[in-house]
């Protein structure tokens, strides 16, 4: 096992009715920016729950954080914070609102142009404004990690950044919120969490046995409950397991002591930036082709995955190949289209465009073995047409 440090200061508060604790979690006397997205929180009652539990606090509201949040929108919140002398931010929403708040939190006290946080991928270790979250969409794990992804609309670039100062102070995670989610977003959540596990698990054999078993436990649970939770979003048993799987998939536990890949995400982000495809759907398009193109690197782990997750039998090569097919089948069952051409007719130059971008950014060697070269990226994207 590789050496590691495990640091996660987020106070994770899970379950039905936990919103009642909100007023005790926000610092006393704080002036709060309540940040939210396109307004779902007004329809499902979450806004009312939040404000009812924050009586006595001074609150300034900032709405309109879009899915795949825009740098340009978030900078408006930064101005408001400075103008109104806000000292705490509360993100109420899904991954986009939480990621947006992470950016706002880092940008407020940033010495320089905050766009550099994204363009230079600056590690945020200090000077961030404290924030908490009320999660409304299980998927990203952003509620318990210190990373974020923000889009610069002007250049159509979707870039990740983060740092130890960007863990939420607390996250209230009440699984009943999923009952108002559109089916598509629940499907997205399952596939995003599934792929987060794969990015940290489907590499090459190493000796972190526990991480493998935890990863496999999350994959199996998602396969077991994924289709059911889409069909029965009011079922608390399913909702609570789904929400916990999503957090555990990306709260910094699985990657301890192991190699990680993340190339599916890096390529997927480009598809969202270019075509506006939902984050999870880009992963379903790219992931299986990446496993296929990188078969030689990943085949031992693919075989382990095939045997332990899908109970496949045969030679390791056969099991590994079939495991990729089984992953695609699962994505289809979860309502994903898995070809780029299912989403856009303008796909022909996508691979060249992405390769050119990666080259400019110096991203010439991705993946757990740094052997996903630009040539491989081209192959993977072309295979997804
Ligand atoms: O904006 P509102 O009106 O709230 O509606 C949202 C949005 O339209 C809606 N929604 C959320 N909760 C709801 C609800 N509708 C009804 N009832 C509810 N309870 O769902 C839509 C999508 O929301 P969004 O936050 O965009 O989805 P998600 O949580 O999947 O977040 C995706 C973003 O997170 C990034 C992605 O790249 C993408 O930008 N990621 C962040 C990660 C991280 N910080 O660790 C890791 C991930 O890999 C991912 O890259
Ligand atoms: Zn993701």
């Amino acid at each position: 096992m590789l050496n590691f440090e495990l640091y996660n200061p987020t106070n994770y508060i899970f379950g039905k009715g936990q919103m009642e604790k909100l007023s005790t979690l926000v610092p006393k006397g704080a002036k709060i920016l309540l940040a939210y997205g396109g307004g779902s929180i007004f329809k499902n009652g979450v806004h009312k729950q939040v404000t009812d539990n924050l009586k006595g606090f001074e609150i300034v509201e900032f709405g309109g954080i879009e899915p795949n949040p825009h740098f340009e929108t978030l900078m408006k919140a930064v101005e408001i914070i400075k103008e109104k002398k806000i000292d705490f931010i509360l993100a109420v929403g899904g991954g986009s609102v939480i990621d947006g708040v992470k950016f706002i939190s880092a940008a407020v006290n940033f010495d320089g142009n905050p766009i550099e946080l994204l363009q230079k991928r600056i590690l945020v270790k200090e000077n961030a404004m404290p924030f908490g979250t009320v999660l409304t969409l299980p998927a990203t794990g952003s509620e318990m990690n210190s990373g974020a992804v923000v889009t610069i609309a002007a250049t159509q670039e979707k870039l990740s950044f983060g740092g130890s100062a960007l863990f939420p102070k607390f996250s209230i995670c009440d699984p009943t919120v999923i009952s108002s989610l559109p089916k598509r977003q629940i499907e997205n959540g399952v596939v995003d969490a599934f792929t987060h596990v794969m990015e940290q698990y489907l590499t090459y054999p190493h000796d972190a046995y526990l991480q493998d078993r935890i990863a496999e436990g999350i994959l199996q649970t998602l396969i077991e409950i994924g289709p059911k939770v889409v069909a029965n979003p009011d079922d608390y048993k399913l909702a609570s397991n789904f929400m916990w799987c999503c957090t555990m998939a990306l709260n910094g536990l699985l990657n301890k002591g192991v190699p990680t890949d993340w190339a599916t995400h890096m390529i997927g982000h480009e598809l969202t930036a270019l075509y506006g495809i939902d984050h999870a759907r880009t992963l379903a398009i790219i992931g299986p082709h990446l496993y296929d193109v990188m078969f030689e690197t990943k085949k031992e782990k693919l075989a382990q995955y095939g045997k332990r997750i899908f109970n496949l039998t045969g030679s390791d090569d056969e099991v590994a190949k079939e495991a990729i097919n089984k992953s695609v089948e699962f994505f289809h069952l979860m309502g994903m289209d898995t070809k780029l051409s299912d989403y856009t007719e303008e796909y022909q130059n996508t691979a060249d465009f992405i390769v050119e971008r990666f080259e400019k950014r110096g991203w010439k060697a991705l993946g757990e073995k740094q052997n996903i070269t630009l040539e491989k990226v081209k192959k993977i994207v072309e295979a997804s047409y």
Side-chain angles (χ1 to χ4, degrees):
M1 208 185 301
L2 307 171
N3 292 359
F4 65 83
E5 284 185 25
L6 174 57
Y7 171 75
N8 194 317
T10 300
N11 184 4
Y12 186 77
I13 301 160
F14 181 89
K16 233 182 242 180
Q18 294 284 36
M19 193 82 89
E20 284 173 10
K21 298 188 179 145
L22 185 57
S23 66
T24 64
L25 297 165
V26 173
K28 270 204 183 91
K31 189 166 179 186
I32 306 167
L33 186 83
L34 192 172
Y36 61 92
S40 69
I41 64 165
F42 292 97
K43 291 186 204 135
N44 59 15
V46 173
H47 178 271
K48 184 170 173 358
Q49 282 178 41
V50 167
T51 48
D52 281 356
N53 282 291
L54 286 179
K55 291 216 168 95
F57 283 90
E58 204 176 327
I59 299 174
V60 175
E61 301 202 357
F62 181 82
I65 298 178
E66 51 283 274
N68 311 303
H70 290 177
F71 160 77
E72 290 84 350
T73 306
L74 304 171
M75 285 308 292
K76 292 182 192 156
V78 172
E79 288 315 309
I80 294 172
I81 287 180
K82 288 182 180 167
E83 188 190 313
K84 308 256 184 194
K85 308 224 175 322
I86 303 282
D87 43 31
F88 190 85
I89 316 172
L90 184 65
V92 185
S96 293
V97 172
I98 300 175
D99 282 10
V101 163
K102 287 178 180 173
F103 179 82
I104 297 166
S105 152
V108 169
N109 299 319
F110 185 69
D111 194 11
N113 184 345
I115 204 165
E116 290 177 5
L117 288 162
L118 307 169
Q119 289 174 336
K120 296 189 180 164
R121 208 164 190 233
I122 291 172
L123 259 187
V124 186
K125 293 186 185 160
E126 56 192 4
N127 290 333
M129 178 163 281
F131 66 94
T133 88
V134 173
L135 181 68
T136 66
L137 197 178
T140 63
S142 190
E143 66 280 5
M144 202 180 179
N145 69 39
S146 61
V149 195
V150 168
T151 298
I152 305 173
T155 54
Q156 270 191 310
E157 282 182 291
K158 192 172 180 201
L159 298 167
S160 60
F161 78 108
S164 55
L166 292 180
F167 283 98
K169 294 289 168 212
F170 63 83
S171 284
I172 296 183
C173 301
D174 177 345
T176 62
V177 294
I178 79 153
S179 60
S180 65
L181 276 172
K183 190 170 160 225
R184 184 178 117 213
Q185 297 299 344
I186 303 180
E187 293 168 344
N188 286 349
V190 172
V191 171
D192 193 18
F194 193 91
T195 310
H196 292 159
V197 178
M198 295 292 266
E199 298 274 25
Q200 302 165 92
Y201 166 78
L202 201 77
T203 55
Y204 52 84
H206 46 71
D207 49 4
Y209 307 135
L210 177 61
Q211 280 86 327
D212 271 4
R213 295 289 186 185
I214 299 173
E216 287 157 0
I218 299 172
L219 295 175
Q220 280 172 320
T221 310
L222 286 169
I223 290 171
E224 183 184 334
I225 66 172
K228 293 184 198 160
V229 77
V230 172
N232 308 289
D234 295 325
D235 181 324
Y236 187 74
K237 193 167 58 180
L238 296 170
S240 53
N241 281 290
F242 168 44
M243 189 173 251
W244 184 221
C245 278
C246 292
T247 300
M248 284 294 286
L250 197 52
N251 65 356
L253 193 62
L254 287 186
N255 66 355
K256 294 296 169 268
V258 304
T260 57
D261 182 344
W262 292 110
T264 298
H265 270 69
M266 291 166 95
I267 302 171
H269 286 165
E270 297 305 318
L271 300 183
T272 301
L274 289 171
Y275 308 115
I277 303 170
D278 291 355
H279 171 63
R281 286 164 205 266
T282 70
L283 308 175
I285 296 169
I286 296 299
H289 296 294
L290 186 142
Y291 311 150
D292 202 31
V293 171
M294 301 311 296
F295 189 76
E296 284 306 312
T297 301
K298 292 186 181 287
K299 68 179 176 190
E300 284 149 303
K301 218 55 197 288
L302 272 167
Q304 177 179 325
Y305 163 71
K307 287 178 202 164
R308 292 191 186 175
I309 305 295
F310 298 112
N311 298 317
L312 299 173
T313 51
S315 72
D316 276 8
D317 269 32
E318 283 164 3
V319 170
K321 285 260 182 245
E322 186 54 20
I324 300 177
N325 297 335
K326 288 280 178 196
S327 313
V328 177
E329 258 173 46
F330 177 61
F331 291 159
H332 287 160
L333 188 65
M334 291 312 307
M336 303 283 124
D337 287 319
T338 51
K339 279 191 181 154
L340 185 55
S341 51
D342 293 328
Y343 297 87
T344 173
E345 287 170 9
E346 314 272 309
Y347 57 84
Q348 291 83 356
N349 297 322
T350 311
D352 289 333
F353 186 85
I354 293 176
V355 164
E356 206 182 305
R357 268 199 163 169
F358 280 13
E359 193 162 20
K360 274 193 196 138
R361 293 184 195 145
W363 296 1
K364 295 179 187 169
L366 309 180
E368 65 275 14
K369 287 203 165 156
Q370 301 280 286
N371 61 353
I372 307 186
T373 55
L374 293 176
E375 195 186 309
K376 292 264 161 53
V377 170
K378 188 170 155 69
K379 257 192 167 167
I380 293 163
V381 179
E382 281 177 348
S384 79
Y385 291 174

